[in-house]
Amino acid sequence: MSVDALLEQIGSLTLVEAAELVKKMEDKFGISTAAPVAMAAVAAPGAGAASDEDASFNVVLKGFGDKKIDVIKVVREETGLGLKEAKDLVEKGGQTVKEGLSKADSDTLKKKLEDVGAQVELVKV
């Protein structure tokens, strides 16, 4: 299989499937994707100096509260995931709902999720 064909297949994965792939690769090869990110932040002087408006944010769902169905509906609406994938993401907890959003977009999504009872964290990337 060519590298381009492999990338094409990876690009067609859902967010949940991609997260599973990363986890399995970490387990199989004994690597961690967190370490390079931390090293890059240390290696890049002034990396933390970017303002919030210039930064990208990941929206991480920490919990779903009392209204799991409403949280699943918002996740489906915002991500385009199917019912099963959205349900799995919500129930698993600590999962990234969307990545690389602007400050305004991440705040909007956070508010939508919090309005239906979810606990949400914004992670600057």
Side-chain angles (χ1 to χ4, degrees):
M1 173 180 282
S2 73
V3 173
D4 290 334
L6 182 59
L7 285 174
E8 189 66 33
Q9 282 189 308
I10 291 171
S12 67
L13 296 175
T14 66
L15 184 60
V16 172
E17 291 169 333
E20 285 178 28
L21 174 63
V22 169
K23 177 70 176 136
K24 286 183 180 183
M25 288 178 66
E26 288 175 341
D27 293 344
K28 180 172 178 91
F29 299 113
I31 58 172
S32 172
T33 57
V37 172
M39 293 298 286
V42 170
S51 69
D52 282 353
E53 287 75 29
D54 296 336
S56 294
F57 292 86
N58 292 348
V59 178
V60 179
L61 184 64
K62 298 307 240 180
F64 54 81
D66 295 334
K67 299 178 182 177
K68 179 170 68 171
I69 293 172
D70 291 336
V71 174
I72 292 170
K73 286 178 182 179
V74 172
V75 168
R76 287 192 69 203
E77 171 187 311
E78 291 295 321
T79 63
L81 292 174
L83 179 59
K84 181 178 180 352
E85 291 85 3
K87 181 179 178 282
D88 290 346
L89 185 145
V90 169
E91 288 178 341
K92 201 169 196 179
Q95 299 295 307
T96 301
V97 177
K98 274 193 143 177
E99 299 178 331
L101 297 177
S102 68
K103 178 68 173 158
D105 290 342
S106 61
D107 285 340
T108 300
L109 179 53
K110 180 180 180 192
K111 181 168 179 9
K112 279 185 181 181
L113 288 165
E114 288 177 341
D115 285 350
V116 293
Q119 296 85 41
V120 181
E121 178 182 346
L122 298 182
V123 179
K124 187 188 273 191
V125 292

